[in-house]
């Protein structure tokens, strides 16, 4: 199964690279990321520079498919992207607002714009529900959207989000120099 997935991914990347040579590809800068023990990215912050403007995004990871109780991770290509702003300060402020959601009551939620897309955000905006979850293993935020009668969701633990925000803030001076 892994071999088939790798061959498929290489083929898709080849097509993507051929298309990228024809079109102007945006410049992507990885700023901070958090990985699990297997080396998989749990969440990340990156910027995309396109047409002279910089846009910061939270990569909230791959979404599972299921219902309110069970989520099955079956989609390794599509990721959920949350726009954070166009400056470092806007992005950090948005991240801090999200971090403060961990203090909210269990089950309380807010809505933000997001984009479920492969590789990079593509501009198709939809409503993402961000819900505070408090469980036995700690607090997490559930990022979810409704699709075809199913809930697509991912969870980011409080500690992972805190590490991501700390790393992002540590890169603030470097980012401010390159933002201009």
């Amino acid at each position: 199964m892994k071999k088939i997935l790798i061959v498929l991914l290489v083929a898709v990347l080849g097509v993507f690279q051929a298309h990228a040579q024809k079109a102007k590809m945006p410049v992507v800068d990885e700023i901070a990321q958090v990985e699990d023990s297997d080396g998989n990215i749990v969440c990340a912050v990156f910027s995309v520079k396109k047409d002279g403007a910089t846009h910061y995004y939270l990569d909230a990871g791959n979404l599972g498919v299921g219902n309110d109780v069970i989520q099955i991770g079956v989609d390794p290509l599509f990721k959920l992207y949350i726009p954070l702003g166009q400056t470092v300060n806007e992005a950090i402020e948005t991240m801090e607002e999200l971090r403060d959601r961990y203090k909210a009551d269990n089950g309380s939620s807010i809505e933000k714009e997001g984009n479920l897309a492969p590789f990079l955000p593509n501009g198709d905006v939809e409503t993402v529900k961000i819900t505070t979850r408090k469980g036995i293993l700690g607090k997490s935020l559930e990022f979810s959207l409704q699709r075809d009668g199913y809930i697509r969701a991912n969870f980011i633990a409080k500690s992972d989000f805190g590490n991501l925000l700390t790393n992002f803030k540590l890169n603030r001076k470097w980012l401010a120099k390159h933002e201009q």
Side-chain angles (χ1 to χ4, degrees), residues 2 18 54 63 87 166 173:
K2 273 187 175 181
T54 301
L63 302 184
T87 67
T166 299
K173 286 183 182 180

Side-chain angles (χ1 to χ4, degrees), residues 52-156:
T54 301
H55 304 275
Y56 292 88
Y57 291 93
L58 168 65
D59 172 352
N62 301 92
L63 302 184
V65 177
N67 57 29
D68 286 334
V69 179
I70 298 173
Q71 288 289 314
I72 301 169
V74 294
D75 186 358
L77 293 179
F78 282 74
K79 291 189 172 207
L80 179 63
Y81 302 105
I82 306 293
L84 299 174
Q86 293 187 329
T87 67
V88 174
N89 290 334
E90 284 177 6
I92 288 175
E93 183 178 314
T94 304
M95 290 281 292
E96 288 174 338
E97 288 172 12
L98 291 173
R99 180 201 55 206
D100 291 343
R101 294 297 311 155
Y102 288 97
K103 298 175 188 172
D105 293 334
N106 187 34
S108 68
S109 61
I110 60 169
E111 292 182 346
K112 288 240 179 228
E113 290 184 344
N115 178 238
L116 183 63
F119 307 114
L120 291 174
N122 61 16
D124 295 336
V125 178
E126 56 190 299
T127 302
V128 176
K129 185 176 176 183
I130 303 171
T131 307
T132 303
R133 299 289 183 203
K134 296 180 183 176
I136 296 170
L137 299 175
K139 299 176 183 178
S140 63
L141 288 183
E142 173 188 29
F143 292 81
S144 64
L145 28 101
Q146 292 272 341
R147 284 264 176 103
D148 303 322
Y150 292 99
I151 297 173
R152 307 240 10 221
N154 189 27
F155 298 84
I156 300 178

